[in-house]
């Protein structure tokens, strides 16, 4: 569906937002046999468990799906103005059947140890300034910061006036874009 949305986008000058929540690397662990066959050819050392093998094949599937999206954005002349953000909602599940590995962090999904709450993430796309492509940013970005960051990039307010009028707390997120592209620490959170 995401590929067809990109394909149908005729006006490449009008920005759009596409949120694609992959559910590929998640229980139940299942993947087409062709990916299991391919992972067996890629990974020469035998897997510790069948679930670990399934998990690795699912990640291979995810990698290819993301690659298809990137290729479609490039073919559609949208890549140069694209910001691709790849982020997980939690650390990998280290229980069976989850079969993830968060080493060197302790713990995993469903707990508050670093392996459960820290995830790897990356930004890519032509929107990322060339001088910071391929660099690392090691400070903390909360999942709640992405909304505020996207709003700032789109030049719209992150304030939720309806929620404020209803007495709800403000959006809890900080614009992290300058910290990411300048590789600076954001500073203490409050």
């Amino acid at each position: 569906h995401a590929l067809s949305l990109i394909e149908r986008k005729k006006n490449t000058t009008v920005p759009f937002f596409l949120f694609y929540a992959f559910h590929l690397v998640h229980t139940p662990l299942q993947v087409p046999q062709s990916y299991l066959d391919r992972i067996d050819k890629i990974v020469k050392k035998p897997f510790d468990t069948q679930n670990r093998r399934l998990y690795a094949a699912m990640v291979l599937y995810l990698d290819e799906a993301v690659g298809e999206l990137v290729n479609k954005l490039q073919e559609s002349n949208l890549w140069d103005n694209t910001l691709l953000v790849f982020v997980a909602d939690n650390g990998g599940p280290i229980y069976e059947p989850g079969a993830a590995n968060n080493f060197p962090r302790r713990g995993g999904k469903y707990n508050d140890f670093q392996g459960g709450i820290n995830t790897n993430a990356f930004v890519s796309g032509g929107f990322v300034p060339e001088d910071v492509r391929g660099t690392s940013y090691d400070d903390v970005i909360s999942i709640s910061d992405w909304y505020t960051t996207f709003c700032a990039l789109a030049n719209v307010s992150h304030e939720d006036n309806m929620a404020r009028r209803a007495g709800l707390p403000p959006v809890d997120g900080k614009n992290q874009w300058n910290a990411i592209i300048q590789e600076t620490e954001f500073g203490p959170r409050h």
Side-chain angles (χ1 to χ4, degrees), residues 11-182:
N11 188 343
T12 60
T13 62
V14 176
F16 71 103
F17 180 83
L18 173 64
F19 178 83
Y20 191 154
F22 285 99
H23 295 278
L24 289 173
V25 186
H26 203 280
T27 55
L29 303 183
Q30 48 188 318
V31 67
Q33 182 64 43
S34 61
Y35 284 90
L36 288 168
D37 296 341
R38 290 176 53 205
I39 204 69
D40 289 341
K41 291 178 183 171
I42 294 169
V43 178
K44 301 301 179 193
K45 181 181 172 190
F47 288 98
D48 296 341
T49 67
Q50 177 63 13
N51 284 343
R52 194 78 179 116
R53 178 176 171 249
L54 281 164
Y55 204 79
M58 291 164 67
V59 172
L60 175 62
Y61 194 127
L62 174 65
D63 184 58
E64 286 191 356
V66 172
E68 286 182 35
L69 284 173
V70 169
N71 288 338
K72 182 59 72 178
L73 287 163
Q74 290 170 336
E75 291 169 6
S76 302
N77 295 317
L78 296 168
W79 184 249
D80 289 345
N81 198 30
T82 291
L83 173 62
L84 173 78
V85 177
F86 189 94
V87 62
D89 58 346
N90 50 255
I94 55 174
Y95 52 82
E96 290 292 333
N101 183 339
N102 301 306
F103 183 82
R105 295 183 175 110
R106 177 181 173 197
K109 183 176 181 175
Y110 294 134
N111 68 52
D112 293 333
F113 294 121
Q114 293 299 310
I117 60 174
N118 283 1
T119 67
N120 292 314
F122 68 84
V123 297
S124 185
F127 188 81
V128 177
E130 285 190 40
D131 61 324
V132 295
R133 293 178 191 173
T135 63
S136 295
Y137 178 71
D138 295 321
D139 208 349
V140 174
I141 296 178
S142 169
I143 193 73
S144 63
D145 293 332
W146 287 115
Y147 173 75
T148 307
T149 302
F150 293 149
C151 286
L153 291 171
N155 201 26
V156 297
S157 174
H158 69 277
E159 298 294 328
D160 186 341
N161 293 324
M162 188 181 300
R164 186 179 72 235
R165 286 191 296 274
L168 297 172
V171 173
D172 184 19
K174 305 290 182 195
N175 176 5
Q176 296 281 2
W177 186 245
N178 285 334
I180 293 168
I181 64 170
Q182 295 171 7

